[in-house]
Every structure is written in structure tokens, then in C-alpha cells.
């Protein structure tokens, strides 16, 4: 699969949302305050990520979310790719690990749509999941970490199929949690240089039930226990090193909406494909920051 290289390009100080909701206890309504959400730009991620401040770090033990598998619009002669997932880790600069599970909506060069499921424990290769996924299926996914044990679950609620993988990871990254739509990347054999692949036209993907548990507190994306960032994908279509920060290039290709009042729902909309160079031969496509490799078509 594609290498999930998450190159966060530019962090913005602009506030996107500061929601105030209500929670009922008996007949009384109590206010629930949510953090403001800052913005950043990535070469291949779009969605939301949460993490702690340097002075107040957060250790996340779980993340969960749901989405409807988007139907891609394919054009003959142009392969393109898109992935949708929840995960822990991989967001901080210099991160060496990412635990994630999700689905793909891809287009072959012959113009055929392909849908699949996968998981990945970066820096290990991504692994296909033997679970049939179709456009329009309701997908639910979660990742949980306890010590060095990682448990990843993906359920197709439309068909009733479910997949769970438990693995031991030497040093899992639990410093962040994410709900992401992604343009995968193609990397060379060593993984030192990666090229973002053309992003498939997935239209709009809607995430719901987005929740994380960090430092013992469970909340939606904009919970007060952590900082949230809305990530806009600007595809550069060029090669890049394993560096988190660079100059943003290219047109906006995927943009997250504002969060729902309770901070658990949002959508990501494909907008316009940026110009892309031809991916160089490598060890296939994969997910994450560019440290994991997997199978290609």
C-alpha cells in the first residue's frame, strides 16, 4: 500500500472553532466548554488531530470514529488514491511510530474503483485486512494502546463483518490521536524520499462518533483535556524528505469542515487535484509519515 507520509507543512494560529454545547443531568442543562481549534496545513492529511501542550503532555490510550465509505470518481488513464483512518501517534515532529486502521477508495489506471481495508503499525509495513468494503458502507474503527499492546478493530456495520488485530509494539506513540482522510505516498526502497500520490476524487467523507481517551479523560475532538488542530491538505505533488515542516505548495485538495457542537462529527471534502509528478518506483504505497511500506498494485 502507500506509505503514510504525514508531512505537516505549516501551522496556523487562526482559530477555526470554539464550540459551546450542553449536557443534560436530569432536567438541568450544564454547559460543556470546548477548546478552540487551531489550523495547520499538510501535504497529504486532512481532518483533525489532537495532542497535549509541551508543558502539559497527554498520553492517549484510545481513539475511535466512524465514517461512510466514499465512492470515488475514476478517470481512465489516471490512477489515484485516498485513505480514511483513525490512529494514535505520528503527529508530532520527529515521531517514529503510528498505530492506525482504516479503509481506502482508490482508482486504477484503467478507471476502475477499488475499495479495501488495512491496518499499519509504523514503521512496520501496512497489512491488508480480509474484509470486503463497498462504497456506501458504514465503517467504525478504533485503536487502543495498553503498555506495548496495540488493539485495532474495524467493523463494516453494513455487512456485519468485523476485524480485530492485537499486536505487541516496542515503542508505540501515544502522544496524539487522529481522524484523517489522506492522499497516500510512494517511497523509494529506503523510505528516505517519498512522493505524494494523486488524491482520488472521493467527494465528501463524513466522520462521526469521533472520540479519544487521554490521561484518563474521554471526549470528542475539541475536548478541554487536549489541543485540537484542523488540517487542510494542500497537495504539492512532488518529492519530499522525512521532514515535518516545509513550504506549502499546490491547490487545496481536501478541507475539513467545522466540528459539530459536541466535537464528535465533521466532514472532509475533496476540492481540486493539485498538479502531480509521476510517482517514482519504490516499495509500493503505504500509510503514515513515510516510515512504513506495503504492497502496491
Amino acid at each position: 500500500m502507500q506509505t503514510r507520509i504525514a508531512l505537516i507543512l505549516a501551522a496556523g494560529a487562526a482559530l477555526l472553532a470554539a464550540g459551546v454545547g450542553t449536557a443534560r443531568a436530569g432536567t438541568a442543562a450544564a454547559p460543556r466548554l470546548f477548546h478552540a481549534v487551531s489550523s495547520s496545513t499538510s501535504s497529504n492529511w486532512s481532518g483533525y488531530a489532537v495532542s497535549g501542550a509541551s508543558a502539559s503532555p497527554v498520553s492517549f490510550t484510545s481513539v475511535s470514529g466512524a465514517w461512510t465509505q466514499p465512492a470515488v470518481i475514476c478517470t481512465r488513464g489516471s490512477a489515484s488514491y485516498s485513505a480514511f483512518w483513525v490512529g494514535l501517534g505520528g503527529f508530532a515532529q520527529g515521531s517514529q511510530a503510528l498505530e492506525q486502521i482504516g479503509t481506502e477508495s482508490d482508482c486504477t489506471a484503467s478507471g476502475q474503483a477499488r475499495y479495501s481495508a488495512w491496518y499499519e503499525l509504523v514503521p512496520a509495513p501496512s497489512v491488508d485486512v480480509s474484509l470486503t468494503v463497498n462504497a456506501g458502507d458504514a465503517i467504525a474503527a478504533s485503536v487502543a494502546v495498553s503498555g506495548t499492546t496495540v488493539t485495532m478493530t474495524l467493523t463494516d456495520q453494513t455487512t456485519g463483518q468485523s476485524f480485530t488485530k492485537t499486536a505487541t509494539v516496542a515503542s508505540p506513540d501515544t502522544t496524539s490521536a487522529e481522524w484523517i482522510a489522506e492522499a497516500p505516498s510512494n517511497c523509494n526502497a529506503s523510505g528516505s524520499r517519498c512522493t505524494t500520490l494523486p488524491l482520488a476524487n472521493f467527494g465528501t467523507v463524513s466522520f462521526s462518533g469521533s472520540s479519544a481517551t487521554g490521561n484518563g479523560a474521554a471526549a470528542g475532538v475539541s475536548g478541554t483535556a487536549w489541543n485540537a488542530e484542523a488540517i487542510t491538505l494542500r497537495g504539492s505533488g512532488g518529492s519530499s524528505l522525512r521532514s515535518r515542516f516545509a513550504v506549502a505548495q499546490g491547490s487545496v485538495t481536501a478541507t475539513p469542515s467545522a466540528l459539530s457542537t459536541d466535537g464528535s462529527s465533521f466532514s472532509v471534502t475533496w476540492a481540486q487535484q493539485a498538479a502531480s509528478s509521476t510517482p517514482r518506483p519504490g516499495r509500493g504505497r503505504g500509510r503514515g509519515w513515510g516510515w512504513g511500506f506495503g504492497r502496491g498494485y
Side-chain angles (χ1 to χ4, degrees):
M1 297 194 181
Q2 39 312 341
T3 298
R4 298 221 159 279
I5 175 169
L7 300 179
I8 305 301
L9 301 179
L15 299 181
L16 293 186
V20 178
T22 58
R24 292 194 172 274
T27 57
R32 275 195 305 175
L33 300 179
F34 297 94
H35 273 315
V37 179
S38 61
S39 63
S40 60
T41 304
S42 167
S43 66
N44 68 334
W45 280 15
S46 184
Y48 282 85
V50 296
S51 59
S54 56
S56 181
V58 177
S59 178
F60 292 90
T61 54
S62 68
V63 61
S64 60
W67 60 91
T68 300
Q69 184 72 11
V72 286
I73 299 174
C74 299
T75 303
R76 181 179 290 274
S78 178
S80 55
Y81 312 87
S82 60
F84 315 95
W85 52 271
V86 300
L88 294 176
F91 185 67
Q93 184 176 6
S95 173
Q96 298 293 318
L98 171 58
E99 307 85 52
Q100 56 184 170
I101 190 166
T103 60
E104 288 194 35
S105 294
D106 299 336
C107 294
T108 67
S110 61
Q112 294 184 332
R114 288 188 175 179
Y115 303 98
S116 59
W118 52 270
Y119 73 86
E120 186 168 10
L121 297 169
V122 175
S126 59
V127 178
D128 289 336
V129 170
S130 57
L131 188 150
T132 301
V133 176
N134 296 300
D137 285 359
I139 305 296
S142 65
V143 177
V145 174
S146 177
T148 58
T149 300
V150 180
T151 301
M152 298 161 290
T153 299
L154 190 141
T155 301
D156 187 323
Q157 297 175 323
T158 300
T159 64
Q161 299 177 84
S162 185
F163 169 86
T164 298
K165 173 67 176 181
T166 299
T168 299
V169 176
S171 299
D173 186 350
T174 59
T175 60
S176 62
E178 301 89 21
W179 304 261
I180 298 294
E182 180 180 351
S185 299
N186 189 72
C187 293
N188 61 7
S190 67
S192 61
R193 186 172 294 275
C194 298
T195 301
T196 302
L197 294 169
L199 179 64
N201 183 355
F202 59 83
T204 296
V205 58
S206 297
F207 286 84
S208 61
S210 302
S211 177
T213 301
N215 290 357
V221 178
S222 54
T224 57
W226 43 73
N227 300 318
E229 287 193 47
I231 307 167
T232 296
L233 186 157
R234 293 181 183 269
S236 64
S239 57
S240 55
L241 295 172
R242 291 180 179 175
S243 170
R244 182 170 187 254
F245 293 96
V247 178
Q249 300 175 4
S251 346
V252 172
T253 55
T255 306
S257 70
L259 291 166
S260 60
T261 303
D262 64 359
S264 69
S265 301
F266 65 94
S267 61
V268 176
T269 300
W270 183 95
Q272 180 180 354
Q273 177 64 58
S276 176
S277 60
T278 301
R280 68 185 64 197
R283 291 179 59 185
R285 299 174 298 117
R287 306 176 180 83
W289 274 67
W291 288 277
F293 301 89
R295 58 115 176 118
Y297 287 124

